Amino acid sequence: MKGSVTRYIILFFLMSFEWLNAQSPTIIYIGDPLCSWCYAFAPEISEVKEALPNYDFKLVLGGLRPGGTETNADLGDFLDHHWKEIEQRTGKPFNYDRLKDESLVYDTEPACRAVVVARSMKPEIELDFFKNVQKLFYVESVDILSVDSYAELAKKYNLDEGEYRTRFLSEEMKIATANDFRLSSEMGVKGFPSVILKTDKGQFYMVSNGYTTSEKLLSTIKKAVQKQD
């Protein structure tokens, strides 16, 4: 039985990322909706996506703290300092009331799974849904562990609420989310946000590992494409 489950997981993993073998240039964004630098990076990656309409765009959920058990009581002071640094550098607003709840658990898996579920129902909304999950956490201070928060957001995209809830709680979507984490690891990603370029010749380039501007990203992508020619 264990062997059958393992084979199923491997098969599901391979089927989930068939686009890796497609002969088309692709921008691969690896991030976590509860990563604060990813939150600041949202407008930058959106500009890159809009500037390269002939490129495919894929989002891979990285898994910053999947299954995490630390709370604001453990991380509050660090996060307060970290958020202020990001806010000063990028201008992105943070709701610091979020840090007052010392019982808040930093498990980022549910937020990542929320995006994976939305992708499974309507692939074209994955980045926009990702950005709105970020707003739920950093601006609106909703419960990041509850399906209710994400089901409410799903309705704004005309997704069937009942189906969304069912998928969110399913083992299939938990495995799909873990597969994103696995792909991120196998790509050698060490931090978020990261951006990888897959060229139409099947070559992969790490064009960003950490926060950067869209201008610098586009310049790096251009150089990588020229390098392969």
Side-chain angles (χ1 to χ4, degrees):
M1 178 63 72
K2 183 177 180 181
S4 298
V5 171
T6 301
R7 284 193 295 273
Y8 169 75
I9 292 174
I10 293 173
L11 178 61
F12 193 90
F13 175 75
L14 295 173
M15 291 176 62
S16 297
F17 306 109
E18 291 180 349
W19 52 264
L20 285 169
N21 298 316
Q23 297 301 309
S24 55
T26 305
I27 301 299
I28 306 168
Y29 170 41
I30 304 96
D32 188 301
L34 302 191
C35 155
S36 47
W37 278 114
C38 296
Y39 168 60
F41 188 60
E44 309 300 329
I45 191 61
S46 294
E47 288 177 9
V48 169
K49 184 175 183 288
E50 291 169 6
L52 300 172
N54 295 326
Y55 283 62
D56 290 342
F57 183 91
K58 299 295 180 180
L59 172 66
V60 175
L61 283 304
L64 179 65
R65 295 176 183 271
T69 59
E70 292 177 296
T71 67
N72 272 339
D74 307 305
L75 299 172
D77 290 342
F78 165 76
L79 291 174
D80 180 77
H81 175 78
H82 190 55
W83 291 3
K84 286 176 180 174
E85 176 189 355
I86 296 171
E87 190 172 38
Q88 183 176 21
R89 179 174 170 183
T90 69
K92 288 289 285 186
F94 288 82
N95 183 349
Y96 291 92
D97 287 343
R98 168 105 280 181
L99 300 178
K100 294 178 181 179
D101 179 7
E102 292 192 348
S103 66
L104 175 67
V105 177
Y106 278 88
D107 176 5
T108 70
E109 191 277 343
C112 290
R113 192 184 346 142
V115 180
V116 172
V117 173
R119 172 207 293 162
S120 75
M121 298 177 72
K122 190 183 288 188
E124 64 271 22
I125 70 171
E126 64 175 4
L127 180 60
D128 197 58
F129 198 92
F130 177 93
K131 292 191 294 183
N132 275 293
V133 170
Q134 291 176 317
K135 290 179 182 178
L136 290 181
F137 179 66
Y138 286 107
V139 180
E140 300 176 20
S141 297
V142 304
D143 184 353
I144 58 170
L145 303 181
S146 172
V147 63
D148 293 340
S149 301
Y150 306 120
E152 190 65 27
L153 176 60
K155 289 193 294 184
K156 296 180 181 179
Y157 292 89
N158 296 317
L159 300 180
D160 182 86
E161 182 182 357
E163 182 180 355
Y164 185 90
R165 288 177 179 274
T166 298
R167 291 196 187 199
F168 184 87
L169 299 172
S170 71
E171 286 302 314
E172 181 181 14
M173 287 297 101
K174 291 176 183 179
I175 292 172
T177 305
N179 281 342
D180 265 47
F181 299 162
R182 177 180 172 185
L183 179 60
S184 169
S185 177
E186 292 190 357
M187 283 181 163
V189 173
K190 303 297 183 182
F192 313 120
S194 288
V195 178
I196 294 174
L197 167 68
K198 183 180 79 68
T199 71
D200 55 4
K201 296 181 180 179
Q203 296 174 312
F204 290 80
Y205 296 91
M206 178 74 76
V207 293
S208 175
N209 185 12
Y211 176 87
T212 190
T213 65
S214 59
E215 182 180 4
K216 289 181 179 178
L217 255 178
L218 289 167
S219 175
T220 304
I221 291 169
K222 181 179 179 180
K223 290 176 182 177
V225 171
Q226 291 173 340
K227 183 179 179 179
Q228 71 153 4
D229 292 335

